[in-house]
Amino acid sequence: MKTVRAAAVQMVSSADWRENTEKMKALVREAARQGADWVLLPEYWPLMGRSDRDKIAVAEAAGDGVFQTALSEAARENGVVLFGGTVPLVSSAAGKVRNTLPVFGRDGKWLAGYDKIHLFGYSGLGERYAEADTIEAGRQVPRFEADGWGVAQGICYDLRFPELFRAQMPFGVLMLPAAFTYTTGKAHWELLLRARAVENQCYVVAAGQGGVHESGRKTFGHSMIIDPWGEVLVQLPQGEGVVCADLSPAKLESVRSRLPALKHRVL
């Protein structure tokens, strides 16, 4: 395991997938310019539609399509491991998609894919969200390793379910693309991210959507990288951009050896 430099990319995706794809490419280039080895994109980077159903029309078959091709090319051209936020993939359920986090290697090849398991539902303060209306839930707990690091993965609402990440042990870093609403994000985003870092004694890299979208939805942003002691290393409150930080094996080992909570687990 070696020190790697991770980047979290924040976007304010529009209803124009072509525009979003060009912005994604530019932001990955910027992350690489800042020395990133790994780059994490936000959830729904290709499309934040005027309607939740808009993503169904642009769903791709696994391994084929403009979004996956763009991610593959961005990974290869910039020499990074690219955690591709989420892309809508064709589902076996009629009228739905899979909300999938794809990972591409430095050679542009597909390394892994995780389908979001927990589907967000919320109503209150004039807002209503029901991902189950348009998304088929995943069933497989992810398993992944990169550059000697065990890597846990989750997507947005998954953050609220700590058992998902414990099921992926052992790992040293958690990668989480998201599009948290402003309402829930203001209340819980940083709290939940830091809790996952502290309880798993791991780095957390979280990339979000951060602004007002054409549907009127407002996302919280605050993409950040957190260390295994729960300290926020870098953060971008709103708007588009990149934040980077080094993930240090020495820091990880220091926290886990001084407070060996993971070894003290009983259940």
Side-chain angles (χ1 to χ4, degrees), residues 133-160:
D133 290 349
T134 55
I135 296 174
E136 179 184 25
R139 295 289 181 265
Q140 290 291 116
V141 174
R143 294 282 190 276
F144 187 65
E145 182 176 301
D147 295 328
W149 287 78
V151 181
Q153 299 170 77
I155 300 170
C156 200
Y157 192 50
D158 283 334
L159 179 61
R160 294 182 181 272

Side-chain angles (χ1 to χ4, degrees), residues 23-68:
K23 286 184 178 179
M24 178 277 289
K25 292 177 180 178
L27 288 164
V28 174
R29 284 196 298 271
E30 174 59 21
R33 190 192 67 77
Q34 294 185 34
D37 302 296
W38 298 356
V39 180
L40 175 67
L41 300 174
E43 186 181 28
Y44 298 138
W45 71 261
L47 187 73
M48 289 288 283
R50 296 181 181 89
S51 162
D52 284 346
R53 302 197 67 80
D54 289 357
K55 58 182 172 286
I56 297 171
V58 297
E60 302 180 341
D64 181 43
V66 293
F67 304 141
Q68 294 165 86

Side-chain angles (χ1 to χ4, degrees), residues 164-234:
L164 172 62
F165 306 108
R166 281 296 167 90
Q168 296 177 63
M169 281 290 184
F171 60 87
V173 57
L174 191 168
M175 306 293 278
L176 188 107
F180 253 61
T181 69
Y182 189 87
T183 301
T184 59
K186 184 178 180 180
H188 301 142
W189 172 247
E190 183 176 330
L191 173 69
L192 289 166
L193 289 171
R194 294 181 71 189
R196 299 295 85 83
V198 170
E199 71 195 9
N200 294 300
Q201 298 184 311
C202 70
Y203 285 96
V204 172
V205 181
Q209 296 278 349
V212 179
H213 307 271
E214 289 165 67
S215 65
R217 178 173 177 173
K218 185 177 182 182
T219 46
F220 186 62
H222 291 77
S223 298
M224 64 182 72
I225 301 176
I226 303 168
D227 77 7
W229 194 244
E231 179 182 355
V232 177
L233 301 177
V234 289

Side-chain angles (χ1 to χ4, degrees), residues 232-252:
V232 177
L233 301 177
V234 289
Q235 181 174 174
L236 177 61
Q238 286 278 287
E240 296 186 329
V242 176
V243 291
C244 295
D246 292 335
L247 312 183
S248 165
K251 175 69 172 183
L252 184 72

